[in-house]
Every structure is written in C-alpha cells, then in structure tokens.
Amino acid sequence: MNTAATTAALLPDPAALRTHLRALAVLDAAIGDDPQYVCHTFDAAWGPEEEAALMDNGSGDEFSVLFTPAGVLVRGFDHESPMSPYATDDEQVWPGVVDEVPAALRPLLDEPAFTDPDTGAPRVTACLWWETGGTAWHTGSAVDFPPRSTDPDGSGHLFRLLTDRSPEAVQAHFEDHYERPVPLDAVRHVLAGHPLTPETARALNPAALSDEALLRRIAAHPEVDAYLACDGEFDLTRTDPIEESIALPAGLPVEPVAGCGAGGTHYLCGPSGPDSARPVLYTDSEGQATLLAESLAEALTLVIVLPSWHDALAGFRPPVLNADHLEDNPDHPEVRDRLLAALRLPPATEPEVLARLLTTAARTVPDGFLPMVEGEEAFEPMLRPPTA
C-alpha cells in the first residue's frame, strides 16, 4: 500500500526537494506549448519569506510544497481518493491526516488557495511536513486508511516524480503528458541544476523558440516591442540596412531582421526552416561587424539582459559594464525578467550572457562570419581585448 508514510521514506531533505521541484517547473515551462497549461510551477514569492512549488494536472489532482521559515509543508489532493473530503459524509479532512501538523505550519493548510470555499475544509488527502531544525519527514501516525486500495491517499501517483527523481522517470512523464519525444540529455541538464540556456530550451521544444514563434510573441507584447526598439536597439521595423548587400565568406545567405537608430543592422544567417536556429550577425555604420548570437532567441536574451553589449565588445567588463544603464533604469532587473518571461526565454544572468557573447563574437573571423561588400574593404571585427 502506498501512503504518505511511504512517500516520507523516499523524499530527499528540503533543500534537495526544493532544487528538484524548481527543475520540474523549469522543464514543464520549457516543454509545454502554452504557459497557462503547465502542471508544475514554482513561485519564489508566494508570501513573505515563503516559496511554493505547485502541481495541478488539470483533472482535479494537485499538490503544493510550501517552504517557510518554520519548515516545509507538503499537501496532496487526489480528487478520486476515498479519503477526499468530497467522498465523505461530513465533507471534512479524513481523520488523522492533518491532526498532528505542527502549530507553526498548520495555518498553511487554511490558505484560500487550498480550501473549499463552501465548507472551509482544506483540499487534502495526504500531508507531510519537516520542521526547521528537524531531521526527517513526518506524517499523521493514526490514519485509518480505507481498505482494498493500493493508493488510498493518492500519494503513489501524486508524488511519483518526487520519490523517483531519476532523469528517466522525469523524461517518461513529460513524454507521456505532452505526447512527443523529450531528449534525455536536456532533462539531465536541467535536473542537475544547470542554467536553462536557449540551446537546451530549444532541444526540449524546438517550436517554442523558433524565429517565427519569437517574432509572433514580440508582436503580441507591446512592452517587449517597445523595449527592443529603444533600449534593446533591436527595432524590427528597421530592416533597411545601410549596405545594400553584404556577403559572408562562409557563403551563408543573410536576412535583415532588425536595426537600430545608429544605423546598425542585425542579420539572420543561413537558410530559414521551421526548427532551425540561425546565427545573428550585427554590422554597424562604421564598417564593423560581429557574430552576436547563435540564434534569434540568444540575441533577444542578450539585448534584454545586457543592453550595453556594445561596450562589452569594446573591452568593458563589470562592474563598469551596464552601470550607466542601471543608473538610468534601476528597475531593469524586474523589466528583464518580465520581458524574458513574455518571450518564453530562459532566465539568464549578466555573467552568463556576457560569457556567451564573448565566446560567440570570437567565432566571427575564424568561422567565416566577417562580412564584405563587393568592391569595398571587409568589415572590421568589433571584439576588442578587455580594458584595464
């Protein structure tokens, strides 16, 4: 028989559980086609000093894992369980399930998000907790489970990805849920706690970060469009480059996709395709050029996270880099996160984006991305050594 007690013996400590739940939320958001319908989410600002990992399968089953200064509370609700408040005569929580929850954690069960509005009873069939300073998970010790059920409180299927945290189990779950292949290496990458890069996100769902999907999202979000046209210097209406035609030594075709007020142009390099990732080349009005990003998704991440990327190529490094922009726009971190979320781009930090930019820009000359114009001198690379 699977019960909350069985789950308690298989769960990791709260820190490891938190890491795993965050990874599940990242994977669900990356694999799913519509953020509104993902099952796993993680809210780092659930309440003052509180975080919440939530699962809702859309069919009536759900769980919440609340991380608080007093400890961690795990609540599971199986809508078909014989222990559901809706399956009992008094419509109350099954005896013993929450009776021993510590007083410091008990109010978490009474949050409106987890209670029935008519009866006031918490929607819970399984409950576990770990008090701060404790050494183990606990459950109700006096629960008289219904007979003839192998999973009476729903723990077996509700917490399956919390007790079997293997990449193979997680991959199988998402392949079954989304009915399409999910690469195991990408699942391993996220479960190991590594940042979700645009490359990994594209492997998990190629269509989500295609050029066409990203351009549609920009058009659907005026705030994103306005930022890109101004601070991002990635104006999608400026597709008329100063140079009528440029050519790459590598022979790849180029397509203007955006420009900036100073006369620079962003080009997508290579043939277009529904799932292809085309590198992004930038040329300025002074005869300089650089390979900017490995894909449109990466280029958009760059101009959102590091609007002073021109200075980075000129040799500037933190803390000077981006300092002027932050002084003029102190809300940039909040804007950055909001814009990335609107485009369904993975979260990214300034050091990560800077490192990718420098690595990509260094490929400009050796990999045949320094453009030329017939009858004129070749462009000069923009990447310069770091300044003192």
Side-chain angles (χ1 to χ4, degrees):
M1 177 185 291
N2 286 310
T3 67
T6 310
T7 299
L10 298 173
L11 285 183
D13 63 73
L17 180 62
R18 177 182 178 276
T19 298
H20 183 69
L21 286 163
R22 288 180 65 93
L24 290 179
V26 169
L27 285 167
D28 212 338
I31 298 169
D33 292 317
D34 190 333
Q36 296 184 68
Y37 300 110
V38 299
C39 295
H40 297 84
T41 58
F42 193 97
D43 189 341
W46 178 259
E49 298 184 89
E50 294 181 355
E51 297 180 321
L54 308 174
M55 189 286 293
D56 185 339
N57 68 3
S59 298
D61 299 328
E62 60 184 71
F63 72 63
S64 61
V65 183
L66 303 181
F67 297 87
T68 77
V72 183
L73 182 78
V74 180
R75 174 198 64 92
F77 177 67
D78 174 5
H79 78 291
E80 293 185 345
S81 166
M83 297 171 59
S84 166
Y86 305 118
T88 61
D89 293 336
D90 60 2
E91 297 188 336
Q92 296 300 306
V93 178
W94 191 269
V97 171
V98 300
D99 297 355
E100 299 171 45
V101 173
L105 297 174
R106 184 61 178 79
L108 299 174
L109 288 168
D110 298 325
E111 293 200 22
F114 309 137
T115 59
D116 182 276
D118 297 323
T119 66
R123 292 194 309 275
V124 57
T125 56
C127 189
L128 305 91
W129 59 90
W130 182 308
E131 291 185 88
T132 298
T135 58
W137 291 100
H138 297 276
T139 67
S141 61
V143 182
D144 185 14
F145 293 102
R148 298 182 297 278
S149 175
T150 59
D151 191 14
D153 61 5
S155 297
H157 75 273
L158 286 172
F159 305 130
R160 183 167 49 86
L161 292 186
L162 307 188
T163 55
D164 184 354
R165 299 175 296 281
S166 67
E168 291 78 11
V170 174
Q171 177 200 36
H173 165 80
F174 284 117
E175 287 191 333
D176 178 67
H177 183 74
Y178 288 108
E179 298 182 338
R180 65 169 181 267
V182 175
L184 184 59
D185 286 346
V187 172
R188 286 197 178 106
H189 176 92
V190 176
L191 290 179
H194 299 307
L196 180 66
T197 63
E199 293 82 7
T200 306
R202 185 177 297 104
L204 291 168
N205 187 349
L209 294 185
S210 68
D211 296 349
E212 294 78 8
L214 287 166
L215 293 174
R216 284 197 302 270
R217 287 191 204 112
I218 293 171
H221 290 85
E223 182 188 14
V224 177
D225 194 20
Y227 173 90
L228 292 176
C230 185
D231 290 349
E233 297 187 1
F234 201 92
D235 188 344
L236 295 171
T237 67
R238 293 178 178 269
T239 54
D240 209 7
I242 292 177
E243 302 291 351
E244 291 188 3
S245 62
I246 63 171
L248 298 180
L252 294 174
V254 293
E255 175 190 347
V257 66
C260 66
T265 303
H266 298 270
Y267 296 88
L268 296 174
C269 305
S272 62
D275 298 332
S276 62
R278 291 187 283 174
V280 178
L281 174 74
Y282 176 79
T283 62
D284 68 14
S285 59
E286 305 297 324
Q288 299 183 104
T290 187
L291 188 63
L292 195 64
E294 303 295 347
S295 65
L296 179 59
E298 192 172 299
L300 293 170
T301 302
L302 170 66
V303 300
I304 290 172
V305 176
L306 194 67
S308 301
W309 61 267
H310 294 82
D311 294 336
L313 294 179
F316 290 90
R317 298 291 181 270
V320 176
L321 183 65
N322 242 23
D324 289 344
H325 183 80
L326 286 172
E327 183 176 348
D328 296 336
N329 303 273
D331 63 340
H332 177 69
E334 293 79 14
V335 172
R336 172 200 65 202
D337 294 346
R338 191 165 62 246
L339 298 183
L340 291 176
L343 292 176
R344 294 193 62 194
L345 291 168
T349 65
E350 185 177 308
E352 294 166 356
V353 170
L354 175 60
R356 288 206 297 265
L357 168 66
L358 299 178
T359 299
T360 302
R363 292 182 48 218
T364 305
V365 175
D367 289 357
F369 284 95
L370 191 65
M372 62 188 72
V373 177
E374 186 176 354
E376 299 183 17
E377 294 183 1
F379 283 72
E380 291 291 328
M382 294 179 69
L383 183 61
R384 298 287 183 267
T387 60

